[in-house]
């Protein structure tokens, strides 16, 4: 948009503002009389407005529904993250208990901790989750009533 | 040190605004239509401006302050809708033309076109808008005071400054503004696009 475009646009907007000020000052009676003089049927005018209004209302409803859905999805994501924190705490307890067992599972857990080069209670969250998933896949642990 | 606090203006909810819009009578529908036509010099029709303005209010993007009349508020929203659309249209036009220099070159040599070009696209360049203003001023070629009123308003003079320049009291100024505005609307009943 060039300076000239903007300048000329602003001039027209100022003249439009003057017209709109005058329209806003008109009484309903003046509007009715002017419409009659110009052959404008106010019933038709209302019907046309009603059509535009209805479409806008439908679009607004859709837009608000979308916003509500996004809000619910965001809340669910937040809840999921909270659940994950709880799961991590639970998972660490499970890992510690499994490691204490003198069996294949315990040895597997200790091996994983050595690979990660971390004491068992300092294993990163991802490693804890991955370890439990591996054990589950191998059929060495089940999360149903196991803790 | 004085702390400044910003307080949101007391406003109606989107539901309350929707209720008020539903309750509007036919004269108000007509008023809003005329306002939409007045701001519709650009890429949108009056129907589209009205629709978008109502949508922004109904979906809560535009909030109606309690100290503003509904018609005034909707007029403001329509003005901003139309301006946003023109700016977007210009931005896309310049972008599709390659660069702004190309757009300016085109503007300097553009023939007198009507509202739409050969492709039906609106012509919104400065030259076109200037011609539109000239047409408005020509409406009052036999009425120098009215013609000056249009020119002063276009240049951004305040009401007080115009009154001083044209030596008008409050009542005469109001009467002149009404005459000029109605003269323009009578000449362009379908808005400035026509």
């Amino acid at each position: 948009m060039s300076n000239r475009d903007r300048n000329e646009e602003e001039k027209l907007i100022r003249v439009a503002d003057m017209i709109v000020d005058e329209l806003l000052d008109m009484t309903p009676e003046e509007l009715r009389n002017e419409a009659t003089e110009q052959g404008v049927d106010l019933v038709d005018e209302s019907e046309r407005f009603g059509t535009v209004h209805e479409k806008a209302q439908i679009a607004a409803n859709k837009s608000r529904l979308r916003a509500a859905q996004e809000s619910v999805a965001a809340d669910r994501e937040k809840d999921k993250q909270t659940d994950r924190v709880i799961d991590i705490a639970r998972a660490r307890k499970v890992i510690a208990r499994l490691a204490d067992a003198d069996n294949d599972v315990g040895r597997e857990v200790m091996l994983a901790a050595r690979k990660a080069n971390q004491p068992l209670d300092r294993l990163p969250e991802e490693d804890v989750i991955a370890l439990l998933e591996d054990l589950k896949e191998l059929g060495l642990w089940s999360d149903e009533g196991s803790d | 040190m004085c702390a400044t606090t910003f307080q949101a203006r007391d406003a109606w909810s989107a539901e309350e605004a929707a209720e008020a819009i539903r309750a509007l009578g036919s004269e108000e529908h007509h008023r809003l239509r005329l306002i939409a036509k007045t701001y519709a010099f650009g890429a949108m029709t009056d129907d589209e401006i009205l629709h978008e303005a109502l949508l922004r209010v109904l979906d809560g993007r535009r909030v109606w302050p309690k100290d503003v009349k509904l018609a005034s508020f909707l007029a403001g929203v329509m003005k901003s809708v139309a301006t946003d659309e023109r700016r977007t249209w210009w931005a896309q036009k310049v972008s599709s033309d390659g660069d702004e220099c190309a757009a300016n070159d085109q503007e300097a040599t553009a023939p007198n076109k009507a509202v739409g070009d050969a492709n039906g696209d609106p012509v919104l360049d400065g030259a076109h808008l200037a011609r539109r203003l000239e047409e408005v001023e020509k409406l009052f070629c036999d009425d120098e005071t009215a013609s000056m009123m249009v020119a002063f308003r276009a240049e951004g003079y305040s009401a007080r400054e115009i009154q001083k320049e044209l030596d008008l009291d409050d009542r005469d100024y109001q009467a002149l503004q009404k005459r000029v505005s109605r003269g323009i609307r009578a000449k362009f009943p379908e808005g400035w696009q026509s």
Side-chain angles (χ1 to χ4, degrees), chain B residues 5 12 25 33 39 46 74 77 87 93 104 122 144 156 184:
Chain B
T5 55
W12 300 104
R33 169 74 53 196
Y39 284 129
D46 51 317
L74 290 173
V77 180
R87 301 284 158 88
K93 175 92 172 85
N104 287 339
E144 196 186 344
I184 297 171

Side-chain angles (χ1 to χ4, degrees), chain B residues 27-71:
Chain B
E27 293 88 357
E28 293 305 315
H29 296 157
H30 184 49
R31 191 196 306 276
L32 293 173
R33 169 74 53 196
L34 293 173
I35 293 170
K37 282 178 178 173
T38 305
Y39 284 129
F41 54 94
M44 294 176 101
T45 65
D46 51 317
D47 259 357
E48 288 167 339
I49 289 175
L50 195 50
H51 174 271
E52 181 61 25
L54 290 174
L55 175 57
R56 289 185 190 185
V57 177
L58 295 171
D59 72 10
R61 273 179 290 162
R62 289 297 301 262
V63 178
W64 174 25
K66 286 190 175 177
D67 57 355
V68 178
K69 286 183 180 171
L70 180 56

Side-chain angles (χ1 to χ4, degrees), chain B:
Chain B
M1 194 172 134
C2 182
T4 306
T5 55
F6 293 96
Q7 195 173 3
R9 288 166 81 183
D10 204 8
W12 300 104
S13 68
E15 289 76 16
E16 287 167 326
E19 186 64 34
I21 291 167
R22 268 196 299 276
L24 289 174
S26 59
E27 293 88 357
E28 293 305 315
H29 296 157
H30 184 49
R31 191 196 306 276
L32 293 173
R33 169 74 53 196
L34 293 173
I35 293 170
K37 282 178 178 173
T38 305
Y39 284 129
F41 54 94
M44 294 176 101
T45 65
D46 51 317
D47 259 357
E48 288 167 339
I49 289 175
L50 195 50
H51 174 271
E52 181 61 25
L54 290 174
L55 175 57
R56 289 185 190 185
V57 177
L58 295 171
D59 72 10
R61 273 179 290 162
R62 289 297 301 262
V63 178
W64 174 25
K66 286 190 175 177
D67 57 355
V68 178
K69 286 183 180 171
L70 180 56
S72 302
F73 167 64
L74 290 173
V77 180
M78 284 192 266
K79 178 181 174 179
S80 102
V81 164
T83 306
D84 288 351
E85 183 64 22
R86 274 194 300 275
R87 301 284 158 88
T88 304
W89 184 91
W90 258 309
Q92 287 169 350
K93 175 92 172 85
V94 169
S95 155
S96 68
D97 282 353
D99 60 28
E100 191 149 357
C101 293
N104 287 339
D105 290 346
Q106 189 184 5
E107 169 192 298
T109 56
N112 281 357
K113 291 182 185 176
V115 171
D117 66 11
N119 300 320
D121 291 332
V123 178
L124 296 172
D125 56 72
H128 172 76
L129 297 178
R131 280 195 299 278
R132 181 57 85 191
L133 189 58
E134 280 168 22
E135 285 174 39
V136 170
E137 286 174 349
K138 275 184 200 163
L139 286 178
F140 305 103
C141 56
D142 295 333
D143 183 344
E144 196 186 344
T145 314
S147 177
M148 295 287 280
M149 170 81 158
V150 174
F152 282 136
R153 284 300 295 241
E155 290 302 326
Y157 281 50
S158 69
R160 194 57 61 194
E161 287 167 333
I162 296 172
Q163 279 184 253
K164 192 178 165 194
E165 290 292 333
L166 299 179
D167 194 21
L168 301 169
D169 62 22
D170 287 352
R171 204 184 60 177
D172 288 344
Y173 176 84
Q174 292 296 333
L176 177 63
Q177 178 166 284
K178 187 176 278 195
R179 182 154 53 88
V180 169
S181 299
R182 291 188 183 187
I184 297 171
R185 288 197 294 109
K187 173 68 181 175
F188 302 102
E190 290 309 310
W192 298 9
Q193 298 269 32
S194 57

Side-chain angles (χ1 to χ4, degrees), chain A residues 15 38 40 47 57 59-60 64 68 74 91-92 105 138 144:
Chain A
V15 176
Q38 295 178 349
V40 175
E47 277 178 16
Q57 186 67 67
R64 297 180 84 178
R92 285 193 189 282
V105 177
L138 293 167
E144 288 169 13

Side-chain angles (χ1 to χ4, degrees), chain A residues 5 9 14 22 32 45, chain B residues 15 27 30 87 126 154 182:
Chain A
D5 292 335
E9 183 205 26
R14 290 187 199 114
E22 191 258 333
R32 201 167 43 245
E45 191 77 295
Chain B
E15 289 76 16
E27 293 88 357
H30 184 49
R87 301 284 158 88
R182 291 188 183 187

